[in-house]
Amino acid sequence: MASSLPPRSSYLKKENAGTARREMGLKVAPRRNVLSAINNGEANGGAPSAPADGGGAEAAPVVEFGGREDVERLLAEKMKGKSKNDFKGRNEQMSDYIKKLRACIRWYMELEDGYLAEQEKLRSTLDAENSRHTELEAQLSNAIEELKAANLDLTRRCESLEETLNREKSEKLIAVESYEKEKQERESAERSRDVLTVELERATHDAKRFSEQLKMVQDTNKRLQEYNTSLQQYNSNLQADASKSGETISKLQKEKSAMMETMAALRECHNSMSSQLESSRASQQEAIRVKEELRKEVECRRAESKQVRDDRDHAVAQLNSLNIELATCKEQFGRASKECECMSTKVSALEETCNTQQEQIQTLQKQLAVATDKLKLADVTAIEAMTGYEEQKEKIKYLEDRLAHAESQIVEGDELRKKLHNTILELKGNIRVFCRVRPLLRFDGDSNGPEGASISFPTSVESAGRAIDLMNQGQKLSFSYDKVFDHNASQEDVFVEISQLVQSALDGYKVCIFAYGQTGSGKTYTMMGKSGIDQKGIIPRSLEQIFKTSQSLESQGWKYSMQASMLEIYNESIRDLLAPGRPNSFDMTTSKQYTIKHDSHGNTTVSDLTIIDVFSIADVTNLLEKASHSRSVGKTQMNEQSSRSHFVFTLKISGSNENTGQHVQGVLNLIDLAGSERLAKSGSTGDRLKETQSINKSLSALSDVIFAIGKGDDHVPFRNSKLTYLLQPCLGGDSKTLMFVNISPEASSVGETICSLRFASRVNACEIGIPRRQTQARPFDSRLSYGFQQY
């Protein structure tokens, strides 16, 4: 029942949801004391509960359910100490337990009621959202129709604009033909020819520059036409000014003649007025003389005389005004004469200018004819340049087709390379074995004792670099493997032989490389190495090759992402070496329980294991340093820095090619196994004894698995050890596995050396997937049963 309960986090979420519903005004039934009535009933012998007083029975404790922990506590409740024959007591306890279970069920029902109410509310909200979504869809459909109509209108406008543009282009062409009669066309044509010559050399930019040059020619012709039009307008203006000046002169002459006639009339009027004045004076004298005679008529004569005087004054005033007007006319006549002379000068200058401009127009027409001829020549050159451009364009298209074909051939070649590479490795064997002999160290002493072992390497053509001979107590033991490295082999020599396997990981295969051997035989040096370029081990060199190759493949469209994880198997327990805040000491009470899982595709995962994305070799180097500080290392009589656990480095590689749509998933496992050792020689006690037993047990399980695979048994005991279960995908299918057997040249280690070499021979004889090539390993004899049980 406990496994069917929801997790506590779900209860907490539901309680928070109930609190939120109460804040929003929803009716949520509060939790009730569902066991109070039952407990009170039990205290009163099954009768209804009464108020508690001094004489009543003591009420049963109130039970409330606050979450999953209370329910689990109820389910984990055990029967108290009752004898097996006390059926009544046991029955009462079962009745109490059943009542509590019923109360628990009621509590669940109340929670379910609250959830149903919340579900109804969510359904109503969903219906409202659906209706709103429907309205939005209708609005969107209307908007789409409007956009379609607008798009159709814009399309029609675009077509009309295109027609207008075509008409304008035709008009521009006509204008270009007319503009060919200007002077500056020659210079623009020369510039166009130079630009076209340059563009012919640069075929990719020819069309653009030619269009710009044509636009420049059009602008120049337009400016010339405007200048010609302005000249014509200026000439017409000059002619109009000349005609106006002639008309003005004729008008002035007419005005002059009119003024002369007016002056003659004024002179005649003045003469008449003078004669009248003289006659009036004579009349006055005659009046004086006849004064006496005309005294009677004095009155009227005085009036007449006064009138005459007034007329005389008026005539004098008119005469003065006429004199003033005459002077003004004389001044105007003088100014008109000067203006006439000036206009005459201007007319003559304009006539000279017109003659000069006519000559310039004739000169320009001649130059325009020359420019027209040159422009025709430039058109011929442009046509030739366009022809060259088209040829270059076709050539570029041909080169692009060849480039696309070459790229497709590169992709096909890469696929073929991967297939051939994988075929070569399969022919060599999906499980391969390399042997490496550690150099003799200063503190090792003599490698050959009186009854010691002597290691030699055959030099025959068939066995050179692939066989090793061991003399033990006068008996010669010969072993052959895929590759044998003597004590003079460098780290670079070792990595060259395994670099093809590292490439297989990038090609999408599962690759596993592990080092096996007794403690102190150089496994960690082979895998990890030391500081310094020449001392790097397999792990850093493999990572350098992977990152370098992945970067070189980016030009072909490949993009890779990589994830790294590191763990150790210590005393049959998995420890995460990259866990944040991980202490150096291992505490069984606080460590996580990691689980190994295999899926149907052969991929292996470890639960809760830290996986980190890496982007460069520096990232992995930092992780390796962190893992090396966290790894379990101890001191024994055989090795001062003995690895007490199996170290497993895993790099998951994911690659994709956007150009070809290819995807690859590869895994690279690099494993440094703990060294095998004899208890008698290592002198291990306490924790070191337990570590030694655990190491030998896991290595013995690895031997059993290899032996079962070699015999073709239906059942392979992978689950006998965490190590073998973790390596299960690497020991089957199309996985590539390489085993490094490291041996020590010391005479005191001859037993462990023989055991390691025999185990390596057993691995070398296994066939996984496609059958491997015929090995030169010697047949197994009864001594192969010599295993790890003797440790």
Side-chain angles (χ1 to χ4, degrees):
M1 292 178 65
S3 60
S4 63
L5 292 175
R8 178 172 176 80
S9 59
S10 63
Y11 287 111
L12 295 176
K13 292 179 181 178
K14 293 173 182 177
E15 290 176 1
N16 294 331
T19 304
R21 290 196 296 272
R22 286 194 292 272
E23 292 176 354
M24 294 171 63
L26 298 177
K27 293 181 180 180
V28 180
R31 294 182 180 174
R32 297 172 294 180
N33 187 2
V34 296
L35 297 180
S36 60
I38 298 173
N39 294 330
N40 291 333
E42 290 176 359
N44 296 320
S49 60
D53 55 9
E58 185 180 355
V62 178
V63 178
E64 292 184 356
F65 291 93
R68 180 185 178 92
E69 294 179 354
D70 296 336
V71 178
E72 290 179 352
R73 192 181 299 113
L74 176 61
L75 295 175
E77 186 176 348
K78 297 181 180 180
M79 297 296 179
K80 296 182 180 179
K82 297 288 185 178
S83 62
K84 295 182 178 180
N85 297 326
D86 189 4
F87 296 102
K88 184 177 180 180
R90 293 173 66 85
N91 190 16
E92 290 177 355
Q93 289 186 0
M94 290 299 293
S95 298
D96 295 340
Y97 190 70
I98 290 170
K99 290 177 181 179
K100 293 178 180 179
L101 288 176
R102 288 178 178 174
C104 180
I105 292 170
R106 291 192 192 97
W107 177 66
Y108 272 113
M109 292 174 68
E110 290 177 359
L111 286 179
E112 185 177 6
D113 292 337
Y115 299 154
L116 290 174
E118 185 178 0
Q119 185 178 6
E120 290 298 329
K121 181 183 177 182
L122 291 175
R123 284 180 180 174
S124 62
T125 305
L126 181 61
D127 294 336
E129 289 295 329
N130 288 332
S131 62
R132 189 172 66 85
H133 182 66
T134 305
E135 293 176 357
L136 288 176
E137 284 183 349
Q139 293 177 0
L140 287 175
S141 62
N142 295 331
I144 289 171
E145 293 297 331
E146 293 177 357
L147 289 175
K148 286 183 179 178
N151 189 15
L152 183 60
D153 188 14
L154 290 174
T155 304
R156 292 174 181 173
R157 290 183 181 179
C158 184
E159 291 176 354
S160 64
L161 290 175
E162 287 179 354
E163 293 177 357
T164 306
L165 181 61
N166 292 329
R167 288 196 300 270
E168 290 181 355
K169 286 183 178 178
S170 62
E171 292 176 357
K172 281 186 177 180
L173 292 175
I174 296 172
V176 168
E177 293 177 357
S178 64
Y179 295 158
E180 292 176 352
K181 298 178 180 181
E182 300 296 337
K183 175 183 178 179
Q184 296 181 0
E185 187 61 26
R186 175 177 56 83
E187 298 176 357
S188 61
E190 291 176 356
R191 289 196 298 270
S192 300
R193 183 183 60 189
D194 296 336
V195 172
L196 288 174
T197 303
V198 175
E199 288 175 345
L200 184 60
E201 296 175 355
R202 302 176 182 178
T204 56
H205 303 288
D206 186 21
K208 182 176 179 181
R209 293 187 179 180
F210 182 74
S211 62
E212 293 178 355
Q213 193 66 30
L214 183 59
K215 186 175 180 181
M216 186 184 299
V217 171
Q218 291 174 356
D219 295 337
T220 306
N221 289 333
K222 188 174 181 180
R223 290 195 299 271
L224 289 174
Q225 186 183 14
E226 292 176 353
Y227 181 71
N228 191 10
T229 304
S230 63
L231 287 177
Q232 293 176 358
Q233 291 179 354
Y234 184 69
N235 192 7
S236 61
N237 292 331
L238 289 177
Q239 292 176 359
D241 291 339
S243 61
K244 288 181 180 179
S245 298
E247 292 176 358
T248 304
I249 292 171
S250 61
K251 288 180 181 180
L252 290 174
Q253 290 176 355
K254 290 179 180 180
E255 290 178 355
K256 181 180 179 182
S257 61
M259 287 180 180
M260 295 296 291
E261 291 176 357
T262 304
M263 289 177 66
L266 289 174
R267 285 174 182 174
E268 291 178 356
C269 181
H270 183 269
N271 293 328
S272 63
M273 291 298 292
S274 298
S275 61
Q276 288 178 3
L277 181 61
E278 290 177 356
S279 63
S280 62
R281 287 177 179 176
S283 298
Q284 184 178 8
Q285 290 176 2
E286 186 179 356
I288 294 171
R289 284 192 302 271
V290 294
K291 180 177 179 183
E292 296 295 333
E293 299 175 358
L294 298 175
R295 191 173 290 181
K296 294 180 180 179
E297 296 178 358
V298 171
E299 299 276 337
C300 60
R301 295 298 180 185
R302 287 179 180 176
E304 291 178 358
S305 178
K306 186 178 180 179
Q307 182 68 32
V308 170
R309 284 195 299 269
D310 293 337
D311 291 339
R312 185 196 61 188
D313 294 336
H314 181 67
V316 171
Q318 287 182 351
L319 181 61
N320 293 329
S321 63
L322 288 174
N323 290 327
I324 292 170
E325 289 178 359
L326 181 60
T328 303
C329 288
K330 288 180 178 180
E331 291 178 0
Q332 290 179 353
F333 179 74
R335 286 197 298 269
S337 299
K338 292 179 180 179
E339 290 178 357
C340 185
E341 292 176 359
C342 182
M343 293 300 295
S344 300
T345 305
K346 288 183 178 179
V347 168
S348 60
L350 289 174
E351 288 178 353
E352 293 178 358
T353 304
C354 288
N355 295 329
T356 305
Q357 289 180 351
Q358 288 179 357
E359 293 177 357
Q360 291 178 355
I361 289 171
Q362 292 177 358
T363 305
L364 289 173
Q365 288 177 351
K366 294 179 181 179
Q367 293 178 354
L368 186 60
V370 176
T372 302
D373 296 336
K374 291 186 177 181
L375 184 60
K376 291 180 180 179
L377 180 61
D379 290 338
V380 174
T381 307
I383 293 171
E384 293 177 355
M386 289 297 295
T387 305
Y389 171 72
E390 293 295 334
E391 293 177 355
Q392 292 291 331
K393 190 175 180 180
E394 292 178 356
K395 185 176 181 180
I396 290 172
K397 185 177 180 182
Y398 171 70
L399 292 176
E400 288 178 351
D401 294 338
R402 287 188 62 185
L403 180 60
H405 180 65
E407 289 178 351
S408 62
Q409 286 183 343
I410 289 173
V411 174
E412 293 175 357
D414 187 61
E415 289 293 326
L416 181 60
R417 180 199 63 77
K418 290 181 180 179
K419 292 180 180 179
L420 293 176
H421 180 73
N422 186 51
T423 302
I424 291 171
L425 293 181
E426 286 177 347
L427 291 175
K428 290 182 178 180
N430 280 346
I431 291 186
R432 302 167 65 192
V433 178
F434 288 179
C435 177
R436 186 179 190 184
V437 180
R438 175 177 65 80
L440 187 64
L441 304 178
R442 290 178 298 176
F443 50 82
D444 288 339
D446 190 4
S447 63
N448 300 323
E451 296 180 356
S454 176
I455 297 175
S456 61
F457 305 96
T459 58
S460 62
V461 177
E462 296 180 355
S463 302
R466 299 178 57 188
I468 183 173
D469 294 336
L470 181 66
M471 294 294 298
N472 182 33
Q473 297 179 355
Q475 183 180 4
K476 181 179 180 181
L477 301 176
S478 299
F479 303 91
S480 63
Y481 306 104
D482 294 281
K483 184 67 177 179
V484 175
F485 299 96
D486 59 14
H487 56 276
N488 294 321
S490 63
Q491 298 279 61
E492 178 67 22
D493 298 335
V494 173
F495 180 72
V496 168
E497 293 294 331
I498 70 162
S499 59
Q500 294 180 352
L501 279 176
V502 178
Q503 179 62 40
S504 294
L506 275 175
D507 293 343
Y509 292 96
K510 297 180 179 64
V511 177
C512 178
I513 302 174
F514 64 92
Y516 173 88
Q518 71 180 85
T519 180
S521 60
K523 301 183 300 300
T524 302
Y525 176 75
T526 300
M527 298 302 295
M528 300 294 294
K530 296 181 180 180
S531 59
I533 299 177
D534 297 335
Q535 301 295 323
K536 290 182 180 179
I538 292 175
I539 293 178
R541 290 177 184 269
S542 300
L543 297 174
E544 288 178 356
Q545 177 180 340
I546 287 175
F547 282 106
K548 184 177 180 180
T549 307
S550 63
Q551 291 176 358
S552 64
L553 292 176
E554 289 180 356
S555 60
Q556 301 180 11
W558 283 97
K559 294 183 179 179
Y560 288 92
S561 61
M562 303 178 192
Q563 294 180 327
S565 62
M566 300 182 195
L567 61 87
E568 67 174 356
I569 301 176
Y570 176 80
N571 288 345
E572 285 301 307
S573 297
I574 296 177
R575 300 171 66 180
D576 188 0
L577 297 179
L578 299 180
R582 181 186 181 279
N584 291 333
S585 60
F586 181 64
D587 189 358
M588 291 295 293
T589 60
T590 60
S591 63
K592 295 181 180 179
Q593 296 298 323
Y594 299 95
T595 305
I596 301 172
K597 297 180 181 179
H598 304 295
D599 60 13
S600 58
H601 301 289
N603 297 319
T604 303
T605 57
V606 180
S607 62
D608 297 330
L609 186 67
T610 302
I611 299 176
I612 299 177
D613 295 328
V614 291
F615 305 97
S616 63
I617 186 62
D619 297 341
V620 184
T621 302
N622 295 332
L623 296 179
L624 288 173
E625 291 179 357
K626 179 179 179 181
S628 63
H629 294 324
S630 302
R631 189 178 178 187
S632 301
V633 178
K635 178 180 180 180
T636 64
Q637 293 182 0
M638 299 181 66
N639 190 359
E640 291 185 357
Q641 293 290 328
S642 176
S643 300
R644 312 309 294 170
S645 63
H646 306 302
F647 171 75
V648 181
F649 172 84
T650 302
L651 183 69
K652 295 182 179 179
I653 304 171
S654 299
S656 61
N657 193 322
E658 297 179 354
N659 299 332
T660 61
Q662 295 174 305
H663 298 276
V664 294
Q665 296 284 341
V667 179
L668 178 62
N669 291 308
L670 302 173
I671 304 171
D672 180 15
L673 297 176
S676 61
E677 58 187 39
R678 295 179 183 270
L679 294 176
K681 294 188 62 177
S682 64
S684 300
T685 58
D687 292 339
R688 295 292 177 265
L689 176 61
K690 184 178 179 181
E691 293 169 355
T692 301
Q693 292 174 346
S694 177
I695 292 170
N696 291 335
K697 180 181 177 182
S698 61
L699 295 178
S700 178
L702 179 61
S703 175
D704 295 338
V705 167
I706 297 296
F707 187 63
I709 294 174
K711 292 192 302 181
D713 292 346
D714 295 334
H715 172 70
V716 180
F718 287 109
R719 292 181 177 270
N720 288 354
S721 172
K722 291 285 182 65
L723 176 64
T724 55
Y725 191 51
L726 183 65
L727 295 180
Q728 181 177 352
C730 301
L731 300 176
D734 58 353
S735 300
K736 318 297 179 187
T737 303
L738 174 64
M739 170 183 169
F740 258 102
V741 55
N742 295 80
I743 62 175
S744 174
E746 301 174 7
S748 58
S749 302
V750 61
E752 290 82 355
T753 300
I754 295 174
C755 181
S756 299
L757 292 175
R758 286 175 175 170
F759 175 70
S761 297
R762 178 183 297 180
V763 175
N764 195 45
C766 289
E767 295 181 357
I768 296 177
I770 299 176
R772 65 188 292 172
R773 76 285 180 273
Q774 295 296 327
T775 64
Q776 295 182 0
R778 304 180 70 176
F780 293 120
D781 53 22
S782 58
R783 291 176 295 177
L784 286 178
S785 60
Y786 181 80
F788 293 96
Q789 286 77 10
Q790 59 180 314
Y791 295 133

